[in-house]
Amino acid sequence: MSCVSALFAALVAGPAAAESLPVLVPLTGFLSLEGTSQRNGAVLAVKEAPASLSVTAEVVDTGTSPEAAATALERALSRGTPPAVAASMLGTQMLAMLPLAQDYKVPLVTVSGTASITERGNPWVFRFFPGDAVTKSAHARYVVEELHKTRPALIYQTTAYGQSGKAHLEPAFATLGAPLVFAEGVDPAAKDLLPVLTKALEAKPDVLVLHLHSAPTALMVRTAAAAGVSLPIVAGSAMHQPSTAALLEPAELKGVCAETAASPVSGGTPAMEAFTAAYRAAFNAEPDAFAVGQYDGMRMVLDAMGKGAKTPEQVRAALASGTYEGLAMTYRSDGTGNMAHSAAIVCYDGASRVPAVVKRYDGAVNGAVK
């Protein structure tokens, strides 16, 4: 198991023993870019905890294996049950952590998009990023209703994340009268994506739809640009990340769009811009929607603690029944732990690595956005 512990001081003055909010996220492996954003959002939220609270955030790298995530959670809980845990955004790791959360009765706060983590009747999971039922509805609707494309070719990851996306994209496109003309999964470790791109093009699509992790997304966009592919590309949320865009030249991004929950670098409210400035100052990096989602989730936990929630059950009850005005959106549970119900589409103009928000879909009803 790759397990590296570091202690991020986020202490607020006060003689009482500090409450621990463990941050158990993937910082190495194929999800390191996304996991680092998640960690940074959690750490920044704890750093900005209300003055009435004394809180620490111990960060543990879970790598990408389910076993490592479960072990990290069990170790953290063996030292005493914290009010809540910031838990991995990797779906397979969340699925491994869920039984432990239920046994120890501790809330897990995550930005995982994998749909099934909130479909198992576990009352201890809270997702502060729109799940695939929400984002894939927006993804498909943008392709069909805004781009007027009807022959989508899907290239997805073979991980639980990728398979979850395919499971929602395929029926969403079919419902919109634009069934997939091609679909194939690729391993996150694949270094040459030209073969699968070639196969996709042989199906004569009018749009490429990607549901890949960060590095594979950048590799596929670069491969398509190098091959002279002029089709629009509408990618998953990994593409909205500044760290993904930094792997590409602006010209390679022309015609590329992505679904996401928010895009802090694209501007917005004064509160979002203040968050972006604080994030840049703390981490010398650009924030993304994963950072904002985890920040909002931990801020809701801290808000509950500041209002008197002392135990994990009290925090769970506050998350399950409360409404919180976050930076990306207003959060409330749908009864299964899905807290985020809005999605956005961002697009790059080919001249900059900063995308523009071109479409918002708010207020999901039964998963599908309005």
Side-chain angles (χ1 to χ4, degrees):
M1 179 191 75
S2 173
C3 183
V4 181
S5 294
L7 188 63
F8 278 75
L11 300 175
V12 179
E19 290 278 11
S20 171
L21 292 175
V23 179
L24 314 180
V25 296
L27 302 177
T28 54
F30 65 83
L31 213 64
S32 60
L33 293 177
E34 294 94 330
T36 298
S37 294
Q38 184 186 13
R39 176 200 62 183
N40 292 349
V43 168
L44 189 58
V46 172
K47 185 177 180 180
E48 297 176 356
S52 60
L53 299 176
S54 179
V55 188
T56 63
E58 181 185 9
V59 177
V60 177
D61 176 15
T62 61
T64 54
S65 79
E67 295 80 8
T71 300
L73 179 58
E74 193 144 33
R75 285 181 176 173
L77 300 181
S78 70
R79 297 191 289 272
T81 307
V85 173
S88 173
M89 65 187 302
L90 183 56
T92 51
Q93 292 194 320
M94 281 302 300
L95 294 175
M97 293 169 128
L98 285 175
L100 287 171
Q102 190 146 23
D103 288 346
Y104 283 90
K105 301 187 185 309
V106 60
L108 302 183
V109 177
T110 183
V111 289
S112 174
T114 301
S116 62
I117 67 169
T118 53
E119 296 173 348
R120 302 192 170 211
N122 191 317
W124 298 94
V125 61
F126 296 92
R127 184 210 312 270
F128 284 81
F129 193 87
D132 285 335
V134 176
T135 57
K136 298 312 158 194
S137 173
H139 199 152
R141 284 186 57 183
Y142 183 76
V143 167
V144 177
E145 296 175 355
E146 304 300 324
L147 297 182
H148 305 296
K149 302 302 181 185
T150 58
R151 294 182 57 80
L154 171 64
I155 299 173
Y156 62 97
Q157 215 78 80
T158 53
T159 61
Y161 164 78
Q163 292 173 10
S164 174
K166 177 180 182 290
H168 285 84
L169 282 167
E170 192 164 26
F173 277 116
T175 299
L176 292 166
L180 298 175
V181 298
F182 175 85
E184 185 164 314
V186 295
D187 188 274
K191 301 301 182 187
D192 183 3
L193 298 184
L194 184 58
V196 69
L197 175 61
T198 301
K199 290 170 64 177
L201 295 176
E202 288 172 353
K204 301 188 183 306
D206 57 7
V207 59
L208 293 177
V209 176
L210 308 183
H211 190 62
L212 304 168
H213 296 303
S214 178
T217 296
L219 179 57
M220 178 55 77
V221 171
R222 181 182 302 115
T223 300
V229 175
S230 58
L231 296 177
I233 296 175
V234 184
S237 54
M239 186 60 255
H240 93 283
Q241 291 184 271
S243 55
T244 302
L247 300 173
L248 297 159
E249 294 300 323
E252 294 175 314
L253 289 164
K254 186 173 180 58
V256 175
C257 299
E259 48 87 354
T260 181
S263 179
V265 298
S266 301
T269 65
M272 182 69 89
E273 290 171 1
F275 164 82
T276 300
Y279 188 99
R280 287 169 175 159
F283 307 111
N284 192 30
E286 298 290 344
D288 57 27
F290 303 129
V292 173
Q294 195 66 46
Y295 176 87
D296 282 346
M298 300 306 286
R299 293 285 293 180
M300 187 172 182
V301 169
L302 293 164
D303 181 68
M305 293 171 64
K307 292 176 178 175
K310 303 295 184 186
T311 67
E313 168 54 30
Q314 290 171 340
V315 171
R316 189 205 64 78
L319 296 179
S321 62
T323 298
Y324 185 73
E325 192 73 32
L327 295 179
M329 64 189 76
T330 298
Y331 299 90
R332 63 186 181 284
S333 177
D334 66 352
T336 68
N338 290 311
M339 307 295 286
H341 310 286
S342 299
I345 300 294
V346 299
C347 293
Y348 297 86
D349 62 6
S352 166
R353 292 187 178 92
V354 178
V357 177
V358 298
K359 185 72 178 178
R360 291 188 184 278
Y361 297 88
D362 294 318
V365 176
N366 296 325
V369 290
K370 293 187 290 184

